[in-house]
Amino acid sequence: MNVPLLDLKAQFRPIKDEVMKAVEAVFESQQFINGPQVKELEKQIAAYTTCKSAIGVSSGTDALLCALMAFDIGHGDEVITTPFTFFATAGCVWRTGAKPVFVDIDPKTYNIDVAKIEKAITKKTKAIIPVHLFGQMADMDPIMEIARKHNLFVIEDACQSIGSTYKGRQTGSIGTVGCFSFFPSKNLGTAGDGGIITAQDPVLGEKLEIMRGHGSKPKYFHQVVGGNFRLDTIHAAILIVKLKYLNSWSEGRRKNAAKYNSLLKDVKQVVTPFIEKHNISIFNQYVIRVPKRDELRKFLTHKGIGTEIYYPLSLHEQTCFKALGHKRGDFPESEKAADETAALPIYPELSDEQIKYVADSIKEFYNK
Ligand SMILES: *Cc1c(COP(=O)(O)O)cnc(C)c1O
């Protein structure tokens, strides 16, 4: 049997005609930049996330960068985030000239440990970027409380969590802004790169919109330096089609997660994902913690099962951040997670046979 980590063809097949029609309409209009579909998608995402504004951008990375630029964060500033995330989270902070300040993770959820945030705050701290890793939101209430107390921006990195909730509230609707990615492998993915920023303050929404278009307002008059962070019309058109299916896809992932949980329940070596009672995850990834992780992965590869490590090296240990002066041992929970975890196939189109095959193969490995 073959079980790839992700099978986007299985998602595309049933919606192909609808997607291609939407793409064709963009070609017919030839409005590739700022076509009406961009505004329509923004309207729909604002409604979906229960936000006042949504501003389409060129990627999740550019969503983060554009938000940091709108907050005028740069040289001399510090931004608190987690070392256990995709590179872009801290990479964007660095690119503005500001310093990423890492705070270790909660070993159960893999999200930032809120109990450790305040110790990392200095006079230079301007923002916190909690990352809602693998589809489960970080503990937002204490984060917002700390942010209010110290007057900090909160940039939710919601790139892996569209549609997930915390105490009934939508991802990206709680912080100052929410940053989303439409990279093909996210729960809502386009045919290339894309992203969106959400905000509850329409004045900030307008600022972000100006920042997205070179800081120009009116056209060719620049009060601030922005960038070309636009979302292409073609991506907006595709995403409008796919957004209708997002909830059912995420529900499919949750069902698959429940199946894995029950099949792996008695395998004492495997720690299945822990989801807080007040959270609903969208399972962008289903990540297990295991002994002999690399050997298990080799065994599963041999069995035709795709797995991946998100992420094999914590950000404080990356060569490009050497100047921050960190060493191994600085963020032990993040380092342990990088050494002990692996993601299993979780996409909604998986069959029961495939899920059972993956679970059986894991059992076979530990019973050897
Ligand atoms: C995917 C991702 C990003 C970056 O999104 P792109 O659209 O690939 O630029 C940022 N942060 C996290 C946590 C992500 O998973």
Side-chain angles (χ1 to χ4, degrees):
M1 201 185 292
N2 197 39
V3 192
L5 181 69
L6 181 62
D7 181 4
L8 286 173
K9 287 179 190 166
Q11 184 193 68
F12 182 57
R13 249 176 259 124
I15 60 168
K16 178 175 173 182
D17 290 349
E18 230 182 324
V19 170
M20 296 320 287
K21 233 174 85 189
V23 169
E24 200 176 327
V26 177
F27 273 89
E28 291 295 347
S29 78
Q30 291 288 305
Q31 273 188 271
F32 296 115
I33 303 291
N34 290 341
Q37 291 91 337
V38 175
K39 272 260 172 311
E40 177 58 29
L41 178 75
E42 290 173 344
K43 211 177 93 196
Q44 291 189 15
I45 293 286
Y48 185 85
T49 58
T50 71
C51 289
K52 296 245 164 52
S53 307
I55 299 91
V57 290
S58 30
S59 67
T61 304
D62 286 343
L64 292 163
L65 183 60
C66 188
L68 288 160
M69 287 170 73
F71 297 143
D72 207 18
I73 287 170
H75 290 277
D77 297 332
E78 293 179 358
V79 177
I80 290 174
T81 193
T82 157
F84 194 58
T85 175
F86 179 61
F87 174 75
T89 315
C92 288
V93 173
W94 185 275
R95 284 168 66 190
T96 66
K99 177 182 167 187
V101 173
F102 297 116
V103 166
D104 209 358
I105 56 165
D106 169 350
K108 280 161 85 184
T109 62
Y110 307 109
N111 283 327
I112 193 164
D113 185 343
V114 294
K116 294 183 176 147
I117 292 176
E118 272 201 296
K119 268 176 279 170
I121 292 176
T122 72
K123 283 198 173 63
K124 294 176 178 173
T125 310
K126 287 284 155 60
I128 308 172
I129 311 183
V131 179
H132 308 315
L133 206 66
F134 306 143
Q136 167 170 228
M137 286 178 72
D139 196 0
M140 288 305 291
D141 277 347
I143 291 171
M144 295 311 291
E145 204 179 298
I146 293 166
R148 264 189 294 272
K149 188 169 146 197
H150 297 272
N151 200 22
L152 309 174
F153 298 107
V154 175
I155 301 169
E156 288 182 60
D157 184 336
C159 288
Q160 298 184 9
S161 64
I162 188 163
S164 68
T165 61
Y166 169 86
K167 302 183 182 175
R169 286 180 289 166
Q170 278 286 328
T171 206
S173 74
I174 302 173
T176 327
V177 291
C179 296
F180 295 82
S181 166
F182 300 130
F183 187 80
S185 68
K186 313 287 176 164
N187 284 35
L188 180 63
T190 187
D193 284 307
I196 207 160
I197 312 170
T198 53
Q200 296 293 17
D201 172 6
V203 177
L204 172 59
E206 197 180 325
K207 201 168 172 188
L208 290 162
E209 197 176 342
I210 294 166
M211 198 55 82
R212 165 183 75 182
H214 294 292
S216 154
K217 194 189 173 169
K219 205 170 180 185
Y220 305 126
F221 292 84
H222 304 261
Q223 253 132 67
V224 292
V225 177
N228 174 359
F229 300 133
R230 290 183 300 259
L231 176 70
D232 294 330
T233 312
I234 229 164
H235 295 303
I238 292 167
L239 290 160
I240 289 168
V241 171
K242 293 182 77 174
L243 181 58
K244 291 184 296 194
Y245 301 97
L246 177 60
N247 284 349
S248 70
W249 289 333
S250 295
E251 192 50 43
R253 285 169 180 264
R254 276 191 290 274
K255 283 191 177 136
N256 290 344
K259 286 172 197 165
Y260 275 131
N261 287 347
S262 98
L263 289 165
L264 295 170
K265 190 171 66 214
D266 300 322
V267 188
K268 65 173 192 303
Q269 290 91 344
V270 178
V271 179
T272 55
F274 170 81
I275 307 298
E276 297 275 11
K277 278 206 177 58
H278 54 246
N279 279 341
I280 296 177
S281 175
I282 59 154
F283 284 98
N284 180 246
Q285 300 297 344
Y286 182 93
V287 171
I288 56 172
R289 188 193 286 268
V290 288
K292 298 195 206 156
R293 189 263 320 264
D294 295 338
E295 283 160 83
L296 171 67
R297 286 192 71 217
K298 235 179 256 160
F299 182 79
L300 294 178
T301 303
H302 181 72
K303 290 260 175 185
I305 297 166
T307 63
E308 188 52 271
I309 302 172
Y310 302 108
Y311 297 87
L313 188 65
S314 297
L315 297 187
H316 67 283
E317 295 190 88
Q318 298 287 348
T319 307
C320 65
F321 293 142
K322 215 166 49 194
L324 295 175
H326 289 299
K327 59 181 184 314
R328 187 139 189 110
D330 282 0
F331 304 100
E333 292 301 344
S334 177
E335 293 164 18
K336 264 178 72 173
D339 290 342
E340 297 176 352
T341 61
L344 303 180
I346 190 66
Y347 57 93
E349 296 82 5
L350 280 173
S351 68
D352 285 357
E353 291 70 34
Q354 286 176 307
I355 293 170
K356 183 155 188 314
Y357 176 69
V358 174
D360 285 345
S361 302
I362 292 170
K363 286 180 199 169
E364 188 186 335
F365 174 78
Y366 286 111
N367 288 336
K368 267 195 305 175

